[in-house]
Amino acid sequence: MDRRHLLSQRYVSIRVRLQLAKKTRDLALFNLAIDSKLRGCDLVNLRVRDIAHGARITPRAIVMQQKTHRPVQFEITEQTRTAIIDWTQHAQLRSEDFLFPSRTNSAKHLSTRQYARIVKAWVT
């Protein structure tokens, strides 16, 4: 098997585990990380309005990267849009809210450190 196929199998395995565990936020976070290929700092800094128009998640988004100050465009798959809709409804997020808010401080987003811990848990 080639490396790409092995990665694909791992992605599917993580996705299935998150779905079975009903981890709505983590599923949305995982799917969006895969689709966008954004750095963690850019991913956790997203607001709902960055990827949505009203209640509709857009099929494509453009985000300015913090490190390079360059725009990056990415497609958001149907599977990811569904996961994000489920998450935003569950968390009752508004357009101006961070897509992945901190659980300890409602004014902030998930930290990159916490994101790293979440990714580590997915992999293990």
Side-chain angles (χ1 to χ4, degrees), residues 38-57:
L38 289 171
R39 289 180 181 89
C41 62
D42 294 323
L43 188 63
V44 298
N45 203 30
L46 288 174
R47 292 187 185 264
V48 174
R49 67 176 171 237
D50 294 330
I51 60 164
H53 290 285
R56 185 177 156 266
I57 305 300

Side-chain angles (χ1 to χ4, degrees), residues 64-110:
M64 190 68 69
Q65 296 179 83
Q66 286 181 345
K67 184 175 179 179
T68 64
H69 302 287
R70 291 185 168 203
V72 61
Q73 182 175 338
F74 55 91
E75 290 192 32
I76 304 172
T77 62
E78 184 64 37
Q79 183 176 24
T80 300
R81 290 195 304 266
T82 300
I84 293 170
I85 289 168
D86 291 347
W87 164 240
T88 56
Q89 288 175 349
H90 174 80
Q92 299 178 341
L93 299 176
R94 300 174 315 243
S95 179
E96 65 275 7
D97 292 334
F98 285 108
L99 188 56
F100 303 107
S102 167
R103 291 182 179 168
T104 59
N105 185 340
S106 61
K108 294 190 175 183
H109 55 74
L110 189 70

Side-chain angles (χ1 to χ4, degrees), residues 9-35:
Q9 283 182 321
R10 287 186 183 142
Y11 293 159
V12 170
S13 175
I14 292 170
R15 229 178 237 123
V16 169
R17 287 173 192 253
L18 293 174
Q19 288 168 333
L20 291 174
K22 299 196 183 314
K23 293 194 172 206
T24 316
R25 181 202 62 182
D26 285 9
L27 182 61
L29 185 60
F30 177 77
N31 284 347
L32 191 56
I34 299 301
D35 282 4

